[in-house]
Amino acid sequence: MTLDLFPDAAVSRPDAREALGPAAFVLRGFALSAADDVLAALPAVERCSPFRRLVTPGGYTMSVATTNCGRLGWVSDRSGYRYSPTDPATGGPWPAMPPVFSRLAQDAAGAAGFEAFEPDACLVNRYQPGTRLSLHQDRDERDLGAPIVSVSLGMPAVFQFGGLARGDKVERVPLAHGDVVVWGGVDRLRFHGVLPLKDRPHPLLGSVRLNLTFRKAG
């Protein structure tokens, strides 16, 4: 299969939609038209809530750096995974979600067949060469009926999309700058992750990949 044989050959083709499951899709190049505005809005989010590397309940420090915006933010520490209305690092609320963020998330969800998506949480992950994200399910949200919208910017990555059990077969999906993955419905609880990033600098972001994950958490 092409996706497995050539994991680094991802080329965004605007408006191309690839099915990963009955209710899971890759929208190739969907975020390209909004990418500049998204990147321009990100520094204000970072100034309010700087990137940090979270600790898992097991005591491990995550390799990716994270921040959040929106009404709720995803956090992790020795007490568990959860959503919080306040940033533990600052004690204040998370920065508001920039309108360009929410518009992109809603438009992508609609293009995948999920109308009226209203995200209240955006987790921003910053990857550098060698960082990865282990296979996991997104199940900390109260509303599991809403989809997940994941936007890739910067360096290419290989997204892993598995089944409903950790041991199910995993598909390797190459993602490039501007690609968006949307999944929900029967695919909502499928395991997913990111393989360790190779150092293939992006012309604008260099050796950095940014991933914006939008959810309806509350």
Side-chain angles (χ1 to χ4, degrees):
M1 184 176 184
T2 302
L3 296 183
D4 289 327
L5 291 175
F6 305 103
D8 301 313
V11 177
S12 292
R13 302 183 305 279
D15 301 324
R17 188 173 94 162
E18 301 172 7
L20 300 178
F25 303 93
V26 181
L27 308 178
R28 294 291 179 193
F30 191 90
L32 287 175
S33 62
D36 288 349
D37 290 338
V38 169
L39 293 172
L42 187 57
V45 171
E46 184 178 2
R47 283 194 297 271
C48 183
S49 290
F51 281 96
R52 79 292 306 263
R53 295 171 63 197
L54 299 175
V55 175
T56 70
Y60 295 98
T61 299
M62 297 181 181
S63 63
V64 299
T66 71
T67 188
N68 292 273
C69 62
R71 188 173 63 83
L72 296 170
W74 186 85
V75 298
S76 173
D77 54 27
R78 294 301 296 266
S79 66
Y81 304 119
R82 63 195 180 279
Y83 283 94
S84 171
T86 58
D87 180 349
T90 68
W94 298 102
M97 190 181 302
V100 65
F101 282 29
S102 55
R103 283 197 303 269
L104 174 59
Q106 290 168 339
D107 290 347
F114 297 97
E115 303 294 340
F117 175 52
E118 295 185 7
D120 57 9
C122 174
L123 172 67
V124 185
N125 283 341
R126 185 177 66 196
Y127 294 78
Q128 294 177 314
T131 55
R132 63 190 293 267
L133 192 63
S134 301
L135 285 174
H136 65 283
Q137 293 173 301
D138 286 3
R139 56 187 317 139
D140 298 321
E141 300 75 31
R142 290 184 181 179
D143 185 2
L144 296 181
I148 298 167
V149 176
S150 177
V151 177
S152 291
L153 299 171
M155 287 204 304
V158 179
F159 180 64
Q160 295 182 288
F161 200 59
L164 296 177
R166 185 178 294 275
D168 288 349
K169 181 179 178 180
V170 175
E171 184 174 5
R172 294 183 175 185
V173 184
L175 297 177
H177 179 74
D179 289 343
V180 181
V181 185
V182 183
W183 67 100
V186 296
D187 294 316
R188 174 62 174 74
L189 291 177
R190 288 176 65 169
F191 278 84
H192 56 284
V194 176
L195 290 178
L197 259 67
K198 297 181 180 181
D199 192 3
R200 288 183 166 80
H202 183 265
L204 182 61
L205 294 177
S207 295
V208 171
R209 174 182 183 251
L210 296 170
N211 189 87
L212 285 65
T213 303
F214 297 90
R215 304 179 180 97
K216 176 67 175 174

